[in-house]
Each structure stands twice: as C-alpha cells, then as structure tokens.
Amino acid sequence: MKTASERMNSLLVLYDMYTKFFPKALDGLSDQDAQNRLHTKANHIAWITGSLVQERYTLAGILGTKLQQSAHELFKDHQGIQDETTYPSLETFQQDWDKISPILKDLLMKVSDEKLDSIFEMMPGYKMSIYDLISFTTYREASCIGQIALWRRLLGHPGMKYD
C-alpha cells in the first residue's frame, strides 16, 4: 500500500483491520439487541455503532468530502446517547460504514504530511493536528468495537469471531 505520508502506513493497517472487524462485531445481533441498555445508563450497541460510523464521516469531512451518514442528526457535534430515542437499524449503520470506508481509506492514503501537520480547533479552546485526530480516531475505533464485543456477551451472544 503506497501512501503519500509514511506516517499513515501503520494506521492504515489498523484501519483495514477495524473495517473488517466492524461487521463481525455486529454479526447475529438484532435491532432489539442493539437498543438494549440492560437497565443501565450505558451506551447501547446502536449508539456505539452510530457514533463509530459518524467519526469516519467526520474524519472524511475534515479531509475533504461532504458526505454524511443517514443518522447524522443523532450524532452530529459528538452528541451523547439520547434516552427514549430509537436509533436506526444496524443494517443502516452497516450500509453507511460500507459507503464511507473505501472513500475515507483513499483520503487517508493521499493525505500529505503538510495536511497531517495542520492544526484545527476540535472544540472551543482545544486544538490538535489532523495526524493526532487520525491517531485518536484509530484508537477509538478499537475501543468501540471492543465495547460492542463485550455487549455481545452481556446479551448472551457468542463472542466476536475474528476470522
């Protein structure tokens, strides 16, 4: 894989890994499972999944596309889970993931060192480089997929398969 910036090589290995793990984490889960918080205030699978998809769209937006996921209004501006809200189906999130993943991968492969070093304001008073954002987003994807894998077991499903 040839990238414009050598710094992206290892991050793209992880990106490809998480792109493949995402549907495996959701495999066999129902939309009812996805909305179940097990009588806690924890983020359910649907919110975690939609948030994960949103971050790929947000990163792609920072790198130059104007695409939005189907559930953009529920997740824009890093909104937390909303009680009493029924989130979209896992199939909808999967379709949005499948749509953005190759587009974002292409953008990540082409991003220059100059762009990676550019600074933006993530929220008022908090600035970071594009490279730092990509690194954090990569870490967060692993965390979210791990949370979905844990929810699978808590809801009585078999563990996530990696093959």
Side-chain angles (χ1 to χ4, degrees):
M1 145 174 40
K2 179 70 176 141
T3 58
S5 171
E6 287 190 22
R7 290 187 283 172
M8 293 305 300
N9 291 334
S10 60
L11 292 175
L12 279 162
V13 168
L14 294 171
Y15 181 88
D16 287 344
M17 192 180 302
Y18 303 149
T19 299
K20 292 174 187 167
F21 287 173
F22 180 83
K24 294 173 186 287
L26 301 179
D27 185 48
L29 298 175
S30 70
D31 290 329
Q32 183 178 0
D33 290 331
Q35 307 281 333
N36 190 343
R37 293 172 89 177
L38 294 175
H39 308 291
T40 71
K41 295 302 262 177
N43 296 327
H44 54 49
I45 292 170
W47 184 88
I48 297 166
T49 301
S51 175
L52 192 55
V53 171
Q54 181 71 18
E55 292 307 317
R56 282 206 170 180
Y57 276 86
T58 298
L59 186 54
I62 289 169
L63 295 176
T65 135
K66 297 195 183 316
L67 298 172
Q68 294 181 341
Q69 77 157 313
S70 303
H72 175 75
E73 290 301 315
L74 287 171
F75 295 97
K76 69 180 181 181
D77 302 323
H78 308 285
Q79 292 180 61
I81 195 167
Q82 298 172 38
D83 294 331
E84 309 306 320
T85 297
T86 300
Y87 283 78
S89 69
L90 294 177
E91 181 179 343
T92 298
F93 290 131
Q94 182 67 60
Q95 289 169 355
D96 283 337
W97 180 265
D98 292 343
K99 179 179 177 182
I100 198 59
S101 292
I103 295 167
L104 179 55
K105 181 175 180 177
D106 185 60
L107 291 168
L108 292 170
M109 290 181 71
K110 293 177 180 174
V111 68
S112 68
D113 282 319
E114 181 181 11
K115 179 73 171 176
L116 289 171
D117 291 335
S118 65
I119 304 295
F120 75 103
E121 191 167 41
M122 184 156 175
M123 59 186 85
Y126 187 73
K127 296 179 182 178
M128 68 181 350
S129 72
I130 300 293
Y131 182 77
D132 288 345
L133 175 66
I134 294 168
S135 298
F136 175 76
T137 300
T138 301
Y139 152 78
R140 187 176 183 279
E141 285 190 354
S143 176
C144 289
I145 290 168
Q147 288 176 54
I148 295 168
L150 175 60
W151 270 111
R152 292 179 62 79
R153 300 306 302 259
L154 293 172
L155 292 166
H157 292 275
M160 183 179 135
K161 304 245 185 292
Y162 291 89
D163 55 355

